[in-house]
């Protein structure tokens, strides 16, 4: 299994390495072997976040999946001696290193005669799971402490991790090491400290999953208690690098300071990467993604798609009306947002000098007005422009639009949302 992990590691990470230029700072490879001391952290029990999905499973075995498809369990033949109501309930994630939702597998405390496979999908959290080789599952023990047990296998194609267990409890996805923050939004000239952290104890030869230590305990399984994070020991850190604009300076072996450039056109991106000095061959990277917000930017999502950021021209105030647009159709089309009034929420209307949204990419258009049906009059779309700042030369806020009118017939077939920050020019 370890060989398969190595092959996946190289496949996932070699492409990243090819694109690192470099402002590189090398660490001391194989430095002092500092001990990692993580005090186990007692956490509250998660509260229910939804309705449990249940199914009767007997000696023949069976499977069950959560309502959102994020977690599934596979009970093999012979794991249960009688018909048992098995359930999956979403609960709040109290794991300090937890990613996404946690799930309560019931009957709580159920022990199986054969290992049951728990599979967790990380597709919804792909931008925040970090290094796959240190990603895995954790469960909450009876004393309230979460225990990281890692993974028996993972799939980069299906974006899942799996672990075989003989008991049920509250389960969570987590990564035992990470950069903090793993992503940040900064203004021009702003500074950000980035730290390499670890949430469990770790041995040099047991950093990656699957874990092989055997600490005993009620289920005699590998794993480590989760606690307040500590700096990742320097023996695990090979180098820090910066890709993109800005400056990177070393504060300590485990900490760097990033400074955003003093000016950018619209928005810009930078990536701070830490390369692990790992116990196995391969290149293993932890990444912190930084977005730099320049003099003016607009963020737009159509129909819930991933937001697109593009430059904004200064907001112009003409009388009581404010006008925000993008220069030269950057972002894929002409963007216009107007509102009448000062701070607060402004509903859309049909007045010529009122509150409007439109975005006109090639071949179609999205407008804050629609026609509900044949022979019906034009109506303003539902939603508002919410203005949160109009001072010190800056206009800032957000917007939502439902029943967006699409095309020349203004069919109510879309939604739009976004936010903005731009210079403010008053005529």
């Amino acid at each position: 299994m370890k060989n398969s992990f190595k092959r996946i590691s190289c496949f996932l990470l070699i492409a990243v390495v090819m694109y690192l230029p470099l402002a590189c700072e090398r660490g001391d490879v194989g430095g002092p072997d500092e001990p990692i001391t993580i005090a186990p952290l007692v956490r509250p029990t998660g509260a229910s976040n939804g309705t449990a999905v249940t199914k009767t499973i007997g000696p023949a075995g069976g499977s069950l999946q959560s309502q959102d498809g994020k977690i599934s369990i596979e009970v093999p033949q012979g794991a249960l001696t009688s018909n048992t109501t098995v359930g999956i309930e979403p609960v709040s994630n109290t794991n300090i290193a937890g990613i996404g939702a946690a799930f309560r597998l019931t009957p709580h405390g159920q022990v199986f005669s054969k290992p049951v496979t728990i599979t967790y999908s990380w597709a919804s959290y792909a931008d925040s799971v970090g290094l796959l080789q240190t990603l895995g599952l954790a469960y909450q023990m009876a004393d309230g402490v979460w225990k990281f047990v890692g993974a028996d296998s993972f799939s980069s194609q299906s974006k899942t991790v799996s672990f075989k267990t003989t008991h049920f409890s509250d389960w969570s996805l987590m990564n035992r090491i990470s950069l903090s923050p793993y992503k940040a939004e900064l203004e021009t000239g702003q500074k950000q400290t980035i730290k390499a952290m670890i949430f469990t104890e770790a041995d040099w030869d047991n950093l990656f999953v699957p874990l092989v230590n055997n600490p005993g305990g009620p289920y005699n399984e590998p794993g480590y208690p989760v606690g307040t994070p500590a700096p990742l020991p320097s023996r695990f850190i090979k180098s820090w690098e910066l890709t993109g604009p800005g400056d990177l300076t070393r504060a300590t072996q485990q900490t760097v300071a990033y400074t955003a450039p003093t000016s950018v056109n619209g928005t810009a991106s930078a990536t701070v990467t830490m390369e692990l000095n790992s116990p196995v061959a391969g290149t293993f990277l932890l990444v912190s993604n930084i977005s730099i917000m320049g003099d003016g930017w607009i963020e737009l999502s159509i129909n819930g798609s991933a937001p697109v950021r593009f430059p904004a021209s200064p907001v112009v105030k003409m009388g009581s009306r404010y006008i925000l647009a993008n220069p030269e159709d950057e972002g894929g089309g002409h963007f216009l947002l107007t509102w009448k009034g000062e701070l607060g929420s402004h509903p859309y209307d049909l007045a010529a000098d009122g509150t409007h949204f439109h975005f006109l990419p090639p071949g179609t258009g999205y407008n804050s007005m629609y026609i509900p049906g044949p022979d019906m009059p034009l109506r303003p779309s539902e939603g508002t422009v919410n203005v949160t700042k109009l001072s010190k030369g800056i206009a800032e806020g957000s917007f939502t639009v439902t029943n967006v009118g699409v095309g020349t017939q203004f069919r109510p077939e879309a939604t739009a949302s976004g936010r903005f920050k731009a210079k403010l020019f008053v005529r």
Side-chain angles (χ1 to χ4, degrees):
M1 183 175 292
K2 288 187 176 180
N3 290 333
S4 66
F5 269 54
K6 295 177 188 176
R7 289 195 295 270
I8 295 173
S9 303
C10 293
F11 175 77
L12 289 173
L13 299 171
I14 191 67
V16 179
V17 177
M18 292 173 61
Y19 287 96
L20 295 175
L22 28 178
C24 173
E25 296 195 21
R26 289 280 165 187
D28 294 328
V29 177
D33 192 24
E34 315 102 300
I36 306 173
T37 302
I38 302 288
L41 185 63
V42 177
R43 298 290 292 162
T45 302
S48 176
N49 271 345
T51 304
V53 176
T54 61
K55 181 179 181 180
T56 299
I57 298 178
S63 61
L64 183 64
Q65 186 178 60
S66 63
Q67 198 168 39
D68 60 7
K70 285 188 170 62
I71 193 170
S72 62
I73 53 178
E74 186 73 32
V75 181
Q77 183 178 3
L80 290 167
T81 57
S82 61
N83 287 344
T84 303
T85 301
V86 175
I88 302 176
E89 179 184 5
V91 296
S92 56
N93 196 344
T94 66
N95 183 350
I96 191 174
I99 301 171
F103 292 91
R104 181 163 296 146
L105 306 186
T106 56
H108 206 271
Q110 173 74 44
V111 177
F112 296 88
S113 301
K114 292 181 179 180
V116 172
T117 301
I118 302 174
T119 299
Y120 199 116
S121 170
W122 49 267
S124 300
Y125 319 114
D127 63 343
S128 57
V129 296
L131 187 65
L132 294 185
Q133 287 73 19
T134 54
L135 181 72
L137 299 181
Y139 71 89
Q140 192 169 28
M141 298 185 288
D143 61 2
V145 175
W146 285 84
K147 182 180 180 181
F148 177 70
V149 292
D152 292 318
S153 62
F154 63 72
S155 169
S156 59
Q157 184 174 3
S158 62
K159 294 182 172 58
T160 59
V161 293
S162 297
F163 181 76
K164 295 181 182 297
T165 182
T166 57
H167 63 93
F168 274 175
S169 184
D170 288 4
W171 289 80
S172 163
L173 182 70
M174 67 167 282
N175 205 314
R176 71 191 305 194
I177 62 174
S178 68
L179 295 188
S180 177
Y182 68 87
K183 64 179 178 180
E185 289 186 355
L186 304 181
E187 304 294 333
T188 52
Q190 190 175 353
K191 296 180 182 294
Q192 176 68 58
T193 298
I194 300 170
K195 301 177 181 179
M197 311 297 291
I198 187 165
F199 290 86
T200 72
E201 295 183 356
D203 301 317
W204 172 254
D205 59 353
N206 201 33
L207 180 65
F208 292 164
V209 297
L211 306 180
V212 294
N213 71 318
N214 190 355
Y219 304 109
N220 196 34
E221 65 196 352
Y224 297 87
V226 179
T228 302
L232 184 67
S234 58
R235 67 180 182 274
F236 293 120
I237 300 175
K238 188 174 184 179
S239 65
W240 290 89
E241 303 192 19
L242 169 66
T243 303
D247 295 307
L248 191 69
T249 57
R250 176 74 61 82
T252 67
Q253 182 72 4
Q254 298 91 353
T255 305
V256 292
Y258 171 79
T259 303
T262 56
S263 65
V264 298
N265 180 23
T267 63
S269 298
T271 301
V272 175
T273 305
M274 190 204 76
E275 182 178 353
L276 279 177
N277 181 33
S278 69
V280 298
T283 303
F284 305 96
L285 308 175
L286 296 174
V287 176
S288 179
N289 294 303
I290 299 173
S291 298
I292 304 112
M293 305 302 175
D295 294 336
W297 52 268
I298 299 164
E299 185 177 87
L300 173 64
S301 170
I302 300 292
N303 291 327
S305 61
V308 176
R309 289 196 186 107
F310 46 89
S313 300
V315 171
V316 177
K317 182 181 182 183
M318 301 179 66
S320 61
R321 191 187 192 207
Y322 292 85
I323 303 172
L324 171 66
N326 58 336
E328 300 179 358
D329 292 354
E330 292 199 43
H334 178 61
F335 177 92
L336 181 68
L337 188 70
T338 68
W339 66 93
K340 196 168 185 178
E342 302 298 320
L343 297 178
S345 295
H346 306 280
Y348 301 102
D349 56 44
L350 301 179
D353 61 347
T355 300
H356 303 287
F357 158 87
H358 81 219
F359 180 60
L360 305 178
T364 190
Y366 301 93
N367 296 274
S368 59
M369 57 188 72
Y370 67 100
I371 298 176
D375 302 321
M376 298 184 71
L378 198 64
R379 293 183 184 178
S381 298
E382 292 77 20
T384 59
V385 177
N386 184 32
V387 183
T388 56
K389 183 176 182 178
L390 288 172
S391 61
K392 298 182 180 179
I394 295 295
E396 188 172 1
S398 61
F399 56 92
T400 58
V401 198
T402 56
N403 283 324
V404 173
V406 179
T408 57
Q409 298 180 3
F410 298 98
R411 299 179 304 274
E413 296 177 345
T415 62
S417 62
R419 54 195 184 114
F420 60 89
K421 183 176 183 179
K423 288 183 176 181
L424 176 59
F425 178 71
V426 179
R427 286 188 175 181

